[in-house]
Amino acid sequence: EETQIIAVPPEAAGQRLDAFLTTQLSDLSRAAIQRLIDDGQVLLNAVKPRSSVKLAGRSEERRVGKECRSRW
């Protein structure tokens, strides 16, 4: 299983997780990203987050399985 790690810069603090990932994964819609999050395919610091979680001002990571990206 292949994963993609996305570091969150400090200037992304306060953004919703799904909105931030939409800017990083331009080939996916926000609805598709929300489905990935709801399905547990996105992790925030090794924890399954909610789509609406606000990003902190520190560096964090999200992992998205490659096989999930191909579904949308």
Side-chain angles (χ1 to χ4, degrees):
E1 178 179 309
E2 192 174 328
T3 59
Q4 181 176 359
I5 299 173
I6 301 171
V8 179
E11 55 271 12
Q15 288 186 33
R16 284 175 52 118
L17 172 61
D18 55 354
F20 171 75
L21 288 177
T22 300
T23 67
Q24 302 300 303
L25 303 170
S26 59
D27 57 326
L28 295 177
S29 69
R30 189 166 176 174
I33 289 172
Q34 288 172 338
R35 284 192 299 269
L36 288 175
I37 294 168
D38 292 342
D39 290 345
Q41 299 299 317
V42 176
L43 300 178
L44 169 59
N45 296 328
V47 177
K48 180 183 168 188
R50 292 178 29 192
S51 297
S52 61
V53 70
K54 300 279 184 166
L55 301 176
R58 62 190 184 283
S59 178
E60 299 171 314
E61 297 177 347
R62 278 93 181 121
R63 295 190 168 112
V64 180
K66 182 180 179 184
E67 70 284 354
C68 296
R69 294 187 63 191
S70 65
R71 293 193 305 196
W72 291 285

